[in-house]
Structure formats: C-alpha cells, structure tokens
C-alpha cells in the first residue's frame, strides 16, 4: 500500500499536470472528489490512448 503522504503528492501532481490547478486548490478538495478527478483523467487518457 502506498504511504498516504506519497499518495497525496501523486494525486496533486497528476491533477496539477493535467488540469493546471494550483496545489492549494487541489488540497482543498475533499479526498473523494480528488480521487474522482484522478480517475476521470485516467479514463480520458485511456480512451485517447485507444484512439476513441
């Protein structure tokens, strides 16, 4: 299992990279909402990678 602090950094980096959101804004998101955005970006990236 990933350490919670490391997971938070990974989520923040992922959202900041894809959406260009500020770190402070990402940290204010509730955990469930932040994870939902991470999953949505991953879904979109998968679709793009598959040429859909």
């Amino acid at each position: 299992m990933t350490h919670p602090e490391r997971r938070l950094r990974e989520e923040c980096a992922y959202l900041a990279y894809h959406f260009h959101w500020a770190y402070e804004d990402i940290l204010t998101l509730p955990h469930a909402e932040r994870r939902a955005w991470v999953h949505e970006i991953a879904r979109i990236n998968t679709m793009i990678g598959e040429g859909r």
Side-chain angles (χ1 to χ4, degrees):
M1 182 170 169
T2 303
H3 189 276
E5 289 179 23
R6 182 175 178 178
R7 174 69 61 132
L8 179 60
R9 281 193 303 275
E10 290 171 351
E11 291 175 0
C12 288
Y14 195 73
L15 292 172
Y17 176 81
H18 287 284
F19 284 166
H20 309 284
W21 290 350
Y23 179 70
E24 294 80 15
D25 294 336
I26 296 168
L27 287 178
T28 64
L29 294 172
H31 175 72
E33 186 173 351
R34 191 173 56 248
R35 292 296 301 153
W37 282 113
V38 166
H39 287 291
E40 185 62 18
I41 292 168
R43 185 188 68 76
I44 292 167
N45 285 338
T46 299
M47 287 176 45
I48 291 169
E50 294 173 351
R52 291 195 250 166

